[in-house]
Amino acid sequence: MNHSFKWQGRQDGEGDAHLRLHQVINTSHQASFAFIGFSSDEGVKRNHGRLGAADAPDMIRAQLANLPVHQPVTIIDLGTVLCDNAELEIAQAELAHQVERSLNSDMKPIVLGGGHEVAFGSFSGLFQYIQNNHLNKKIGIINFDAHFDLREAEQVTSGTPFLNAAKLSQQFHQEFNYMCIGVAKHSNTKILFDTAERLNCNYIYDYELKLQNVENLILRINNFIKKVDYLYITVDLDVFNASIAPGVSAPAVKGIDLSIFDPLLEAIKKTGKIKVFDVAECNPRFDLDNRTAKLAAYIIFNYIFD
């Protein structure tokens, strides 16, 4: 684990009303949330995407540092998992270990990616935790993403994490419960739709994500959540329009808007079932004015605080 990031930022005065996130990080041995960085774009490289996502964890931390603290919160930063020498599978296993370790300590891990290969590491950590502690509990995955990421490939990539998760589930005779929100028809081949159907996946197209449909969308999402006990939520930032998320590996021509994302995330939070949360595909190399890193920090802020 790499611990080189220094939490620092603006200080406006004394007292809790002036607090910013950098002032509460690592101030308690036992915390409600744990930040874990995942510095990798090896999966993106294998998937022939544009590189740069490995630099994301610290850029997201930098945007988080000055955000205000509106209610008491305890957060520990466990550092960053590095993908060295293109050994992605080893990095994913280390991330899984860190996620499971956090859950065993009653902390909710928030993983800062990194390419979307982060998802298999995050899921594996929750899966291991369930296998070792709550064998009868069911996991649900909700992926906000323009892509299914259900590719068949000879090795893991940023395009395979949920097929990898499906195979891991099947190996242990566990149900695979997956919902992808924001699917772009023009960004997924027919075989990916066929795979989604074969695995009984739930999905919502990007064009369905309109504010006037929010009640129906929340109903569909809640019907999925009712079937599971714990949730792993992953937000691939390429689900958003490129105007607010230019710094991603695959910018979205259409994408979705925060006006619909926010109420959906809030509804999912209200179920109380989220155990693991991550953001993926932030690519600082192609970002503009840190828009995408700021978006990642904004999403994490809204997840942490009511």
Side-chain angles (χ1 to χ4, degrees):
M1 298 291 288
N2 181 279
H3 299 274
S4 62
F5 185 80
K6 303 299 182 186
W7 286 94
Q8 57 190 355
R10 179 170 172 166
Q11 298 191 34
D12 295 324
E14 300 296 327
D16 292 349
H18 295 284
L19 286 176
R20 297 176 183 271
L21 266 180
H22 72 88
Q23 294 169 285
V24 302
I25 299 288
N26 297 330
T27 57
S28 172
H29 292 296
Q30 181 62 35
S32 297
F33 298 96
F35 288 153
I36 307 169
F38 186 71
S39 176
S40 169
D41 51 17
E42 175 62 23
V44 176
K45 180 179 181 181
R46 296 178 185 182
N47 202 33
H48 309 294
R50 57 184 193 173
L51 304 184
D55 298 328
D58 284 355
M59 294 300 293
I60 297 172
R61 286 184 174 101
Q63 296 305 319
L64 283 166
N66 274 323
L67 295 184
V69 175
H70 289 286
Q71 64 199 59
V73 66
T74 51
I75 305 171
I76 288 176
D77 186 355
L78 297 179
T80 297
V81 175
L82 302 178
C83 179
D84 293 321
N85 303 315
E87 295 177 325
L88 175 55
E89 292 80 1
I90 293 175
Q92 287 175 319
E94 175 60 21
L95 175 58
H97 169 70
Q98 295 296 332
V99 167
E100 183 183 14
R101 171 190 168 199
S102 300
L103 294 169
N104 282 328
S105 299
D106 294 322
M107 296 187 292
K108 292 183 176 180
I110 299 174
V111 185
L112 316 174
H116 215 180
E117 61 266 30
V118 67
F120 186 55
S122 295
F123 173 80
S124 297
L126 178 56
F127 189 86
Q128 290 167 191
Y129 171 77
I130 297 298
Q131 289 291 302
N132 293 327
N133 298 278
H134 305 285
L135 194 53
N136 61 329
K137 300 296 186 181
K138 297 178 181 178
I139 300 174
I141 303 169
I142 296 181
N143 175 32
F144 286 91
D145 200 337
H147 309 92
F148 281 117
D149 288 345
L150 290 166
R151 291 179 184 271
E152 280 278 5
E154 294 182 359
Q155 56 184 346
V156 297
T157 76
S158 62
T160 67
F162 303 109
L163 188 60
N164 301 144
K167 290 179 177 179
L168 179 62
S169 301
Q170 292 163 1
Q171 179 184 345
F172 285 85
H173 308 289
Q174 300 296 315
E175 289 184 17
F176 176 64
N177 299 291
Y178 175 51
M179 171 175 265
C180 189
I181 301 175
V183 172
K185 197 169 184 178
H186 64 277
S187 297
N188 295 272
T189 58
K190 184 177 182 301
I191 190 63
L192 292 171
F193 281 96
D194 292 344
T195 301
E197 295 294 336
R198 175 173 59 82
L199 294 172
N200 296 313
C201 301
N202 294 262
Y203 56 91
I204 299 174
Y205 286 108
D206 54 357
Y207 61 77
E208 298 180 85
L209 294 170
K210 299 175 182 177
L211 205 51
Q212 59 265 38
N213 296 340
V214 68
E215 290 186 9
N216 177 258
L217 292 167
I218 290 174
L219 178 63
R220 290 169 65 180
I221 293 168
N222 281 337
N223 284 338
F224 170 80
I225 293 174
K226 286 176 184 177
K227 301 184 299 181
V228 303
D229 301 292
Y230 295 139
L231 287 171
Y232 160 45
I233 308 299
T234 179
V235 182
D236 186 326
L237 295 167
D238 73 20
V239 76
F240 296 99
N241 184 271
S243 62
I244 61 170
V248 294
S249 297
V253 173
K254 181 176 176 58
I256 70 171
D257 191 77
L258 283 172
S259 63
I260 188 63
F261 173 83
D262 285 346
L264 297 185
L265 179 59
E266 185 61 29
I268 296 168
K269 274 177 57 179
K270 285 180 178 178
T271 67
K273 293 185 176 182
I274 301 177
K275 295 291 282 187
V276 179
F277 188 92
D278 70 32
V279 291
E281 297 289 354
C282 180
N283 189 329
R285 191 175 300 176
F286 295 93
D287 211 356
L288 300 172
D289 301 322
N290 295 318
R291 286 181 210 170
T292 315
K294 287 178 179 177
L295 173 61
Y298 167 83
I299 290 168
I300 293 166
F301 176 86
N302 284 341
Y303 168 58
I304 292 174
F305 295 105
D306 294 330

